[in-house]
Structures are given as structure tokens and as C-alpha cells.
Amino acid sequence: MKCYAHYEMDAVSHCLDCGKAMCPECTNRFSIPICSGCNLARINYDRNLLVKNSILMAVLFLMGFFWNNRDGFIESIFMGYLFAGIPWGWSALNRITPNVFLIMPIMGWVIYFGFKLFVSITIGMFITPFKIAKVVKGLQDAKKLEEYTKQAM
């Protein structure tokens, strides 16, 4: 079998995503054996996920900011910051929450989710700066990877 990009070379592996045959040069281009087209698709998926998370964070920030107009400007910014951290705290708790709460009465679920929301706000307050930095770095890395992948095509 021949490489999908270099028809004169024999294939030594297959793309992990689409199964195209790849020569040693194409196989070693990225850290995993993946063709350029599939690598671009992965980069675009990761970028879209980062953008969606950023939009969600911005919307929650605005909701918190406008929550109570009678508070001062600093209090409104702090409330927006707390709201923006909820998804990050919630996802951190999802990693450590056991699945023992499957059989619970409705009031138990209300108490559980109320407590989880409070803890999510608390944890999110500390995680948010790191997640913002991760989003910015991820978008920069995605741009560099996209440029590298397009050059390799």
C-alpha cells in the first residue's frame, strides 16, 4: 500500500482518525500518526471548544455583573467574576463527585445541586484565572499548529 500524499512511498502506518495510509515522513510529522486534514479538524474542534467556553464565561460574567444594579461597580465586577467561574468549578467537581447519588428523593437533589453550585462558585473563583490563561494560550497554540499543518500539506 502507498502513502496517501507521497504515492511513490510505501505506507508504514495509518491515520488514527480516517485510516489513510501514511509513509514514514507523514507518520512522523506530528506527535501521533495523523494526516494533515484530520489534524486540522482536531485543531478546529479544539479552537471551537475554547471559543464556546470563552463565550459562556463572558455571558455568565455579564449576568453576574448586571445581577443587582444597586451595588457599586466593584461589587458588580466581583459578582460577574464569581458567575464566570461557575462552569470551571462545576467541571472540577464533576471529576471528583461519586455516582452514589443516583437514588435520591427530589429534595435531596435540590439540596445536592444547591450545595454543588455553592462549592462550584467557591472553587471557580480560584480556577478562573488559570482557565482564562489556558484559553488564551490554547488559541495561540491552535493558530501556530494550524499554520504548521497547512505548510506541511
Side-chain angles (χ1 to χ4, degrees):
M1 188 175 338
K2 300 294 181 179
C3 175
Y4 82 98
H6 306 105
Y7 305 113
E8 69 282 354
M9 299 189 70
D10 289 332
V12 296
S13 70
H14 296 278
C15 173
L16 291 177
D17 289 352
C18 68
K20 289 180 184 173
M22 299 190 317
C23 66
E25 181 183 335
C26 292
T27 300
N28 296 327
R29 183 173 297 140
F30 305 110
S31 60
I32 58 173
I34 188 168
C35 69
S36 297
C38 291
N39 195 35
L40 282 174
R42 283 185 178 204
I43 292 167
N44 287 332
Y45 174 80
D46 291 344
R47 180 186 298 129
N48 289 339
L49 186 61
L50 290 171
V51 169
K52 286 178 189 175
N53 288 338
S54 300
I55 291 170
L56 175 64
M57 191 169 44
V59 166
L60 287 171
F61 177 83
L62 292 173
M63 285 175 57
F65 184 79
F66 294 114
W67 183 264
N68 188 353
N69 289 336
R70 289 176 283 176
D71 290 340
F73 183 71
I74 300 297
E75 290 86 1
S76 295
I77 288 178
F78 184 70
M79 186 62 73
Y81 177 74
L82 290 178
F83 272 53
I86 291 173
W88 305 120
W90 194 276
S91 65
L93 286 177
N94 283 344
R95 293 188 195 130
I96 60 173
T97 304
N99 291 329
V100 296
F101 300 111
L102 294 177
I103 303 173
M104 219 178 350
I106 297 295
M107 197 58 195
W109 281 104
V110 170
I111 293 169
Y112 168 72
F113 282 117
F115 181 73
K116 189 172 180 180
L117 178 64
F118 173 75
V119 174
S120 294
I121 291 170
T122 306
I123 292 173
M125 184 170 47
F126 298 105
I127 295 175
T128 301
F130 298 105
K131 293 296 185 173
I132 291 171
K134 184 178 178 181
V135 165
V136 171
K137 180 156 179 19
L139 290 172
Q140 291 171 344
D141 290 347
K143 185 176 181 179
K144 290 177 187 174
L145 278 172
E146 185 177 34
E147 289 171 2
Y148 174 77
T149 303
K150 286 182 178 178
Q151 288 175 354
M153 290 179 92

